[in-house]
Amino acid sequence: MVVQISAGQGPSECQLAVAKLYEALQEEYGDLELLSNTKGYEKGCFDSIRFQTKHDLSSLEGTVLWISRSPFRENHKRKNWYVDVSIIPDLTEIASEKEYRIEKFHSGGKGGQHVNKVETGVRVIHIPTGLVTQSTEERSQFQNKLRAMERMREKLSQLQQEQKEKQVNAAWREHTRIVRGNPVRVYEGERFILKKQKEIIRVK
């Protein structure tokens, strides 16, 4: 699954929490593959980090709270810094050629009464997505198959692009949304220690 950690509109402390949470999850799960990141204002800080993992991290979706004095502003009174963890829709895998079904049919048109007795029309069905293309323009079945497959590749390419745009839009929506209160996890201190008894910690 694809996961995004985001500071939203938060300050550098939230951006540092994004970096610390990513490191903590990498240590916890071990297989995080970095997909993209947006650097924050300070060195070592990130506005957002997007990564992929084979583990199911859906239980982490929500708000994570880091309770710590600001490492950037010595006299700052605020100690609660929030980041958002969101599950981003995966891109659907575009299937291999094994997942196409080729159908032949009688191609109508000019040519007299015998034309429909020859199966020259070709229909291509992409089984995973249900996309369908066909070609009847060419005289030979082989040429119609090539044309239908070319149209299918164009459709699949367009579908991939739409899915990428959907993923980016979803990531941006989640980046701007942080719900404060009732965090799924609470970390504390500069060492970013996970507090397992989060119910005893009062979130202000």
Side-chain angles (χ1 to χ4, degrees):
M1 65 170 43
V2 178
V3 182
Q4 177 175 270
I5 309 171
S6 172
Q9 306 301 314
S12 295
E13 291 84 356
C14 295
Q15 295 173 349
L16 179 59
V18 169
K20 286 180 175 291
L21 180 56
Y22 178 74
E23 291 175 2
L25 294 177
Q26 181 68 274
E27 186 175 338
E28 184 175 347
Y29 294 100
D31 75 330
L32 275 54
E33 178 187 348
L34 181 65
L35 298 177
S36 65
N37 62 55
T38 303
K39 292 183 178 180
Y41 304 121
E42 304 287 343
K43 184 178 180 180
C45 297
F46 293 92
D47 200 29
S48 67
I49 294 177
R50 199 186 315 176
F51 64 89
Q52 192 166 345
T53 176
K54 293 180 180 178
H55 290 87
D56 183 3
L57 302 189
S58 54
S59 63
L60 287 178
E61 189 165 28
T63 303
V64 171
L65 169 63
W66 177 37
I67 301 176
S68 176
R69 297 183 65 175
S70 171
F72 305 113
R73 295 176 283 181
E74 186 176 351
N75 298 320
H76 195 64
K77 293 182 179 180
R78 180 179 169 185
K79 292 183 179 180
N80 292 346
W81 314 104
Y82 296 90
V83 298
D84 179 75
V85 178
S86 304
I87 308 301
I88 306 301
D90 281 311
L91 292 177
T92 302
E93 291 292 333
I94 298 302
S96 65
E97 297 229 357
K98 295 178 181 178
E99 293 171 305
Y100 295 117
R101 185 167 75 246
I102 309 296
E103 295 181 353
K104 305 165 189 175
F105 60 93
H106 296 301
S107 180
K110 297 180 181 180
Q113 61 181 347
H114 300 295
V115 69
N116 288 334
K117 295 181 181 179
V118 181
E119 291 186 337
T120 57
V122 174
R123 181 180 295 111
V124 177
I125 301 170
H126 186 240
I127 298 171
T129 61
L131 291 176
V132 179
T133 58
Q134 67 180 37
S135 175
T136 58
E137 296 94 319
E138 305 297 335
R139 292 184 178 182
S140 74
Q141 188 181 99
F142 177 74
Q143 289 297 325
N144 276 327
K145 179 181 177 182
L146 291 180
R147 185 179 286 267
M149 288 297 295
E150 182 180 351
R151 289 172 178 168
M152 178 59 71
R153 282 191 291 271
E154 290 175 357
K155 277 194 173 185
L156 290 174
S157 177
Q158 182 179 356
L159 180 62
Q160 264 192 330
Q161 184 60 37
E162 290 173 355
Q163 289 172 343
K164 287 180 181 178
E165 290 174 1
K166 180 180 178 182
Q167 190 182 57
V168 169
N169 290 338
W172 174 248
R173 284 196 303 272
E174 295 301 333
H175 175 67
T176 58
R177 176 192 68 85
I178 289 187
V179 180
R180 291 168 174 79
N182 194 27
V184 296
R185 282 193 178 188
V186 179
Y187 291 84
E188 192 171 80
E190 291 188 14
R191 294 177 60 192
F192 209 70
I193 298 173
L194 176 63
K195 304 295 290 186
K196 295 183 179 179
Q197 294 180 322
K198 62 180 181 179
E199 64 272 11
I200 67 173
I201 297 175
R202 300 182 184 276
V203 181
K204 296 181 181 180

